[in-house]
Amino acid sequence: MEIALRTDIGQKRSENQDFINQFSNKSGTPLIILADGMGGHRAGNIASELTVTDLGKIWEETDFSDLSQIRDWMIDVIEKENQKIHELGKEESYRGMGTTIEAVAVVDNAVLYAHLGDSRIGLVRNGQYQQLTTDHSLVNELLRAGQITEEEAAIHPQKNIITQSIGQQSPIELDLGVQQLEPGDFILMNSDGLTNMISNETVVNVLLADDESLPEKANQLIAQANKAGGLDNITVGLLHVEGEAAL
């Protein structure tokens, strides 16, 4: 398993409110966490960095290597982090801050993932992209209810309104899933600054390029999003199963 992480401010933002990092616990199990912050002033980047760093530090003290243990751990610690960020958000300088979160743990031939917000986790297998997560957004709810079309969703003026995030007052409704891995698979974690700018077809074409390393592929995805306008911060986490699907 090879892993590459990249983040970029994009072409239009004055600061990068995305944050991504990788951690290993005492059993050597890797956990990658991506967060896309929101809020005025510096509140968004504080929410994202604090969430990733807090969860990473706690993860490093565990020795979990069982999927069910990790699942229960994610449910517990992510809700506690939600409450912490919500309390901080009551302070004037942090008012309204919050963040999306994507967390991926790699265990043997599988990834266990947790999702909240409109960042995404996807699988590229046999030249096809499959989105594993469902956006927690107002536009996606309208789309699923049949009130707008996919074309209308792509340009909807309320596209940035999310319905679940770290920092909300009510308990979060965390999405969790397990994806079995096969040789050649890619797992792509990304903030919406990537997928709002480039198509799934472009993602697949970049990942299947034979002459580039995994870090180069991550850089190329960001370059393509910037070339398309780079309207938001762009963050990418790439996992590639090179041979046998095992660490």
Side-chain angles (χ1 to χ4, degrees):
M1 174 71 68
E2 187 182 4
I3 299 171
L5 312 179
R6 293 291 186 272
T7 188
D8 187 83
I9 195 171
Q11 301 296 305
K12 302 295 183 182
R13 301 293 190 181
S14 60
E15 62 181 8
N16 192 348
Q17 296 194 338
D18 290 359
F19 200 82
I20 189 169
N21 209 346
Q22 175 184 347
F23 308 89
S24 291
N25 69 0
K26 293 179 179 178
S27 71
T29 302
L31 177 72
I32 301 98
I33 311 172
L34 180 156
D36 178 354
M38 67 199 81
H41 306 293
R42 296 184 61 249
N45 61 298
I46 291 171
S48 59
E49 182 173 354
L50 191 60
T51 295
V52 172
T53 303
D54 283 349
L55 297 180
K57 286 180 178 178
I58 299 170
W59 177 251
E60 289 175 337
E61 296 304 311
T62 72
D63 59 1
F64 302 139
S65 59
D66 177 78
L67 288 174
S68 61
Q69 287 180 313
I70 298 170
R71 179 185 182 276
D72 291 345
W73 178 86
M74 284 181 173
I75 293 170
D76 179 55
V77 298
I78 295 176
E79 175 54 46
K80 287 178 179 175
E81 191 67 20
N82 173 56
Q83 295 169 12
K84 175 180 177 177
I85 297 297
H86 175 68
E87 287 302 311
L88 277 174
K90 292 179 180 179
E91 299 179 21
E92 184 59 37
S93 57
Y94 300 144
R95 189 158 308 280
M97 80 173 182
T99 183
T100 71
I101 185 170
E102 310 297 322
V104 170
V106 186
V107 180
D108 296 327
N109 298 341
V111 291
L112 170 66
Y113 58 89
H115 159 75
L116 201 72
D118 63 352
S119 297
R120 293 178 177 178
I121 300 170
L123 168 71
V124 174
R125 173 181 291 169
N126 298 326
Q128 299 292 321
Y129 174 89
Q130 176 190 355
Q131 186 176 333
L132 299 179
T133 55
T134 300
D135 295 352
H136 296 140
S137 67
L138 173 62
V139 165
N140 194 53
E141 289 188 2
L142 294 173
L143 182 62
R144 294 175 71 184
Q147 296 182 27
I148 59 174
T149 65
E150 289 190 11
E151 291 75 18
E152 290 170 331
I155 58 172
H156 199 282
Q158 295 177 307
K159 192 172 182 179
N160 63 334
I161 297 178
I162 62 175
T163 56
Q164 288 281 319
S165 64
I166 298 292
Q168 66 186 36
Q169 181 174 3
S170 58
I172 59 174
E173 298 176 21
L174 192 66
D175 289 348
L176 297 112
V178 174
Q179 176 63 51
Q180 296 298 320
L181 300 174
E182 298 178 1
D185 282 353
F186 291 91
I187 295 291
L188 169 62
M189 309 168 64
N190 64 271
S191 61
D192 64 340
L194 182 79
T195 40
N196 283 343
M197 291 288 99
I198 63 175
S199 66
N200 293 341
E201 182 181 6
T202 299
V203 168
V204 170
N205 288 339
V206 169
L207 295 186
L208 296 187
D210 291 332
D211 56 345
E212 293 186 338
S213 67
L214 197 68
E216 288 170 340
K217 293 176 194 291
N219 288 336
Q220 183 62 20
L221 287 173
I222 288 175
Q224 290 289 335
N226 274 323
K227 183 179 178 182
L231 300 181
D232 201 352
N233 309 143
I234 311 156
T235 300
V236 167
L238 275 179
L239 294 77
H240 183 219
V241 184
E242 298 173 282
E244 293 301 314
L247 288 175

